[in-house]
Amino acid sequence: MLTIDELAVVPVPAEATPSPGVHFTLRPGATIRSGPAFAGQYLAEALRPATGFPLPVADRPVEHGIELVLAEIPETSPEAYVLEIDERRIVVTARAEAGLFYGVQTLLQLLPPTVEARTVQDGPWTVPGGRIADRPRYGYRGAMLDVARHFFGVEVLMRFVDRLSRYKMNVLHLHLSDDQGWRIAVDAWPRLATVGGATQVGGGTGGHYTKAQYAELVRYAAARHVTIVPEIDMPGHVNAALAAYPELNDDGVAPPAYTGVDVGFSTLSVGKDVTYTFARQVLEEVAALTPGPYLHIGGDEAQNTPAADYLEFLRQVQPMVTALGKTVVGWHQIGPAAREPGRIVQYWGHTPEPDEDVRAAIAQGDRILLSPADRVYLDMKYTPQTPIGLDWAGHVSTHTAYDWDPATRLPGAPDVIGVEAPLWTETVATEAGIDLLAFPRLPAIAELAWSPQPARDWTGCRARLAAHGPRWTYQGIGFHPDPEIPWP
Ligand code: TNX
């Protein structure tokens, strides 16, 4: 029988202390103690299908079962937790609900993989005894999904949130607008969604989220401690908006819808007042849908916006975000533009040398979010044989995605807030495609962002990932059988 520190928990916990010879076995009469925290119901619902046990949830001490307790622990992070397992009980303790939720994720991974099945399986449901004390390395651990190049319905996004939160990721950035589609309803500019949202790469009908659908997604994610970061990409990547509203174009003429995969050809008309009315009203409505702290304004690849106009556009638009009580996030090309308080610059370079735009951001004291394309772009192929994906930043194996240290990627950047793995969808039209590109790289990147650097190494990580393969199969996730991982 394996001990608690030999078990395949991803991300690997900060500290694990086994109790040799001690085991807990979940029996049919077990109960769950939880206050109103969502984690209690979540745990019960996760365990009932495979165990077939009733597992009632109530706020009283248990004789035999699992307790989720909000209380002071030595760790100060609201995401930290302590998990203690003896013969009689499993106790998760945390200061905040996020910590309880993450303790529950760890516990689920300590149970046999059959716990993921949605039909009753044979036990025993045994967990090795011991104590885990765990906390995140970075507060921002995210993924991005490009819903503009191909549209994905809200149910797909909810399942993606499930996948992220199981690996203790806490941000889903949605790339809501691009040349090929505008995906969020805006009341003041209704044609953005109805006209701008009506197609996608390769043609087809595209789609958009109503405000009600989007709000439902935000709530679903929040319950799982995932913050949605909406991105409205400006002043480039805007053909869908230009097609919907002729007045946003320099010449007042709307271009046709675009269904190809080129970048860098479209721009808002930076000299016109209406452009700023548009930006302000769109940002206002998106901010109103966003309880989280961040609004992403894009800013990448504006090759068709003259440099001076680009800076002028950001000079006017960044303060709009601050005025809405939100923090500006932008791709690292915004580096040279005057900074807003607390601004976050998302680095997506793919060469060892940082480019001058991100150096400008570092010099200004911006906070940095790391998305180096040669490491964490989930749309890069794993190998030349990967059936979908791109390769402009190289091929990104799971090992490549995992084996680097965020603290040293950008020399002289003191304020790295975390790591985000973008999944652009020029070549990805289905949920199966998302899963293939995200697994196993996404869990590996989650470990990179959560676990302390000394606690992680590729040999250990690939063994842990291997043990998750059967779990993904039970969950219906078709993953890339990366040959560097010793799958069972
Ligand atoms: C670059 S990364 C882009 C996207 C593409 C992506 C494809 C970034 C900020 N811009 O427009 O979809 O490459 O990998």
Side-chain angles (χ1 to χ4, degrees):
M1 185 87 208
L2 294 170
T3 66
I4 202 166
D5 64 347
E6 291 161 338
L7 274 169
V9 177
V10 179
V12 64
E15 296 166 35
T17 316
S19 301
V22 176
H23 294 99
F24 172 92
T25 300
L26 193 73
R27 294 192 308 265
T31 61
I32 296 175
R33 176 188 193 177
S34 172
F38 175 70
Q41 284 306 332
Y42 179 98
L43 175 63
E45 283 166 26
L47 294 176
R48 282 173 190 145
T51 62
F53 301 164
L55 299 170
V57 182
D59 193 5
R60 52 174 175 274
V62 306
E63 275 307 305
H64 162 78
I66 303 163
E67 297 198 354
L68 307 183
V69 182
L70 282 175
E72 297 284 296
I73 55 171
E75 299 299 333
T76 55
S77 165
E79 298 184 303
Y81 65 92
V82 174
L83 172 62
E84 292 161 301
I85 300 159
D86 65 23
E87 301 278 357
R88 203 168 60 87
R89 289 185 316 168
I90 296 178
V91 183
V92 181
T93 313
R95 287 173 179 267
E97 294 199 9
L100 293 183
F101 184 76
Y102 292 143
V104 161
Q105 296 304 344
T106 297
L107 170 58
L108 290 172
Q109 294 186 15
L110 293 172
L111 284 157
T114 44
V115 77
E116 307 290 350
R118 298 295 85 184
T119 54
V120 177
Q121 308 289 308
D122 291 337
W125 304 104
T126 297
V127 182
R131 181 176 192 277
I132 286 175
D134 201 10
R135 68 198 79 96
R137 179 179 186 188
Y138 291 110
Y140 190 119
R141 307 176 301 280
M144 186 209 82
L145 196 62
D146 170 9
V147 294
R149 268 55 175 272
H150 280 101
F151 179 70
F152 298 92
V154 147
E155 331 71 54
V156 176
L157 301 190
M158 288 178 176
R159 287 191 287 268
F160 198 57
V161 164
D162 288 336
R163 288 153 170 56
L164 298 179
S165 63
R166 282 186 160 253
Y167 292 98
K168 304 185 175 76
M169 282 193 154
N170 63 2
V171 175
L172 173 59
H173 164 187
L174 291 176
H175 185 73
L176 289 169
S177 66
D178 212 304
D179 292 315
Q180 299 86 346
W182 184 285
R183 304 305 180 202
I184 181 75
V186 177
D187 297 335
W189 298 78
R191 288 168 57 84
L192 290 172
T194 57
V195 176
T199 191
Q200 59 184 4
V201 166
T205 53
H208 70 271
Y209 309 115
T210 66
K211 287 191 167 179
Q213 288 171 330
Y214 191 85
E216 195 190 344
L217 171 70
V218 168
R219 274 194 305 275
Y220 185 89
R224 288 154 185 80
H225 303 280
V226 171
T227 298
I228 302 290
V229 176
E231 177 187 350
I232 302 297
D233 200 350
M234 302 180 280
H237 288 279
V238 289
N239 192 78
L242 300 179
Y245 286 101
E247 59 267 43
L248 299 175
N249 294 271
D250 279 332
D251 60 4
V253 178
Y258 182 69
T259 61
V261 296
D262 287 346
V263 297
F265 60 88
S266 60
T267 182
L268 291 170
S269 182
V270 170
K272 289 187 177 178
D273 289 347
V274 65
T275 293
Y276 299 95
T277 306
F278 163 82
R280 186 169 40 75
Q281 291 180 335
V282 167
L283 291 172
E284 266 169 19
E285 293 195 30
V286 174
L289 289 168
T290 305
Y294 307 121
L295 283 193
H296 201 306
I297 55 170
D300 59 315
E301 297 173 323
Q303 281 114 321
N304 212 15
T305 315
D309 287 2
Y310 179 81
L311 294 178
E312 172 59 18
F313 179 81
L314 286 174
R315 191 185 66 76
Q316 296 201 44
V317 170
Q318 290 185 113
M320 294 175 184
V321 174
T322 308
L324 290 164
K326 301 297 178 188
T327 297
V328 172
V329 190
W331 300 105
H332 76 260
Q333 280 70 29
I334 71 169
R339 72 186 290 260
E340 284 294 297
R343 185 173 77 162
I344 294 172
V345 165
Q346 183 167 11
Y347 178 61
W348 60 282
H350 69 293
T351 56
E353 275 302 302
D355 74 5
E356 66 185 77
D357 291 335
V358 75
R359 286 209 305 269
I362 293 167
Q364 292 202 63
D366 286 325
R367 296 192 282 163
I368 305 289
L369 175 61
L370 288 174
S371 300
D374 58 321
R375 297 289 189 174
V376 297
Y377 262 36
L378 295 176
D379 61 315
M380 292 301 121
K381 293 173 181 259
Y382 294 88
T383 71
Q385 286 72 45
T386 310
I388 49 173
L390 304 175
D391 60 7
W392 62 262
H395 297 120
V396 179
S397 68
T398 313
H399 185 185
T400 301
Y402 180 76
D403 215 354
W404 59 290
D405 182 356
T408 57
R409 173 66 194 238
L410 279 183
D415 204 357
V416 170
I417 63 160
V419 179
E420 184 181 290
L423 204 170
W424 302 97
T425 59
E426 287 95 330
T427 64
V428 186
T430 64
E431 186 175 20
I434 293 173
D435 284 346
L436 179 77
L437 292 171
F439 286 81
R441 289 184 292 199
L442 183 80
I445 294 163
E447 177 161 309
L448 167 78
W450 173 280
S451 305
Q453 184 70 12
R456 56 183 204 90
D457 69 275
W458 172 241
T459 309
C461 183
R462 68 179 178 185
R464 287 190 298 281
L465 290 172
H468 282 234
R471 291 176 188 269
W472 301 332
T473 300
Y474 279 120
Q475 291 166 25
I477 298 174
F479 57 95
H480 168 62
D482 193 317
E484 289 186 279
I485 295 173
W487 306 105

